[in-house]
Amino acid sequence: MSQQPTKTDNKSIPNKIFIRKKAIEKLKTIKVMDLFAGRNVLWNNIKTDKYFGIDIATNKGKNLNVDTRKAFDSLDFSEYNVIDCDSYGIAFDLYKKLLTRKDVKKGTIIIYTAITNEFTKIQNVLKEEFNFKNFYNKAPSLFNARAIEFFYELLAKYGIEEVYYYSIRDNFLKHYGYFFKN
């Protein structure tokens, strides 16, 4: 019998709420764009001045029901000082876009989840960013196991010098954290 990993919504709810509260503790106003909002569980327990959730699934929460990746380029981030990008795995494509978009203001808090193991595939955008696309197919598990390291290298490449996170290890290595766009 083989066991397949299952995507779960907010498996570590108390941990995720904790990191969000920590990230926003010094903000006077809290304006959140939640890119993978699910049932809005994480932000329902935190006072916000403005909240906008997006999720592809219908009947989950009070969200714009659309595929975040398809709508991403048409979103206006200028009114938000917190962007929650808690997706399955590591959304390298979206983090790169958030770091380079002009409407994501300096000082905006970007909350992330980075989950990986040696069997979790790395997105092409990262393979191209670090020029290892040709090598990846020869030994994908070697690269996949280091996906979180590549994530932090991507942040550093775009000027992020400080990242706040905690990690959990079970079948996957999980980092929950945040950083400020510079």
Side-chain angles (χ1 to χ4, degrees):
M1 181 171 131
S2 69
Q3 187 176 13
Q4 297 295 319
T6 302
K7 292 180 179 181
T8 59
D9 289 337
N10 298 319
K11 189 173 181 181
S12 301
I13 291 172
N15 295 328
K16 290 182 175 188
I17 291 172
F18 168 81
I19 202 72
R20 282 155 180 78
K21 286 182 177 179
K22 187 74 176 155
I24 64 170
E25 69 185 359
K26 294 181 180 174
L27 294 179
K28 290 184 170 91
T29 59
I30 301 163
K31 298 178 181 180
V32 179
M33 178 169 303
D34 192 350
L35 297 175
F36 297 92
R39 291 183 176 86
N40 312 115
V41 171
L42 300 176
W43 288 100
N44 278 343
N45 297 303
I46 301 171
K47 184 183 179 312
T48 60
D49 299 290
K50 182 175 185 173
Y51 176 85
F52 183 73
I54 302 169
D55 202 280
I56 193 169
T58 57
N59 300 320
K60 268 192 158 183
K62 296 177 182 177
N63 305 311
L64 172 64
N65 294 121
V66 65
D67 182 337
T68 297
R69 284 184 167 85
K70 289 181 180 174
F72 191 89
D73 292 338
S74 63
L75 296 172
D76 180 2
F77 292 96
S78 64
E79 294 182 39
Y80 300 92
N81 59 354
V82 179
I83 300 170
D84 193 331
C85 190
D86 184 354
S87 68
Y88 298 120
I90 304 174
F92 292 109
D93 57 335
L94 300 184
Y95 294 118
K96 182 177 176 181
K97 287 181 177 185
L98 287 170
L99 292 168
T100 58
R101 286 190 54 155
K102 298 203 183 315
D103 64 339
V104 178
K105 297 176 187 169
K106 181 179 178 176
T108 297
I109 298 168
I110 300 174
I111 298 172
Y112 70 90
T113 296
I115 301 175
T116 191
N117 70 14
E118 56 275 0
F119 302 109
T120 306
K121 291 184 179 180
I122 292 176
Q123 293 178 333
N124 285 335
V125 69
L126 186 80
K127 296 174 202 173
E128 292 164 3
E129 186 77 25
F130 291 106
N131 200 24
F132 63 79
K133 193 171 185 177
N134 294 333
F135 300 107
Y136 180 82
N137 292 334
K138 296 182 189 298
S141 63
L142 294 176
F143 289 94
N144 296 340
R146 298 187 57 219
I148 288 180
E149 293 174 48
F150 289 122
F151 170 67
Y152 293 122
E153 286 297 318
L154 179 75
L155 297 182
K157 185 175 181 177
Y158 287 93
I160 305 302
E161 296 177 2
E162 291 187 71
V163 178
Y164 305 89
Y165 75 93
Y166 64 90
S167 63
I168 297 173
R169 178 168 287 283
D170 50 22
N171 293 336
F172 294 85
L173 177 57
K174 302 172 183 179
H175 283 205
Y176 303 113
Y178 64 94
F179 56 90
F180 298 89
K181 182 174 183 213
N182 54 354

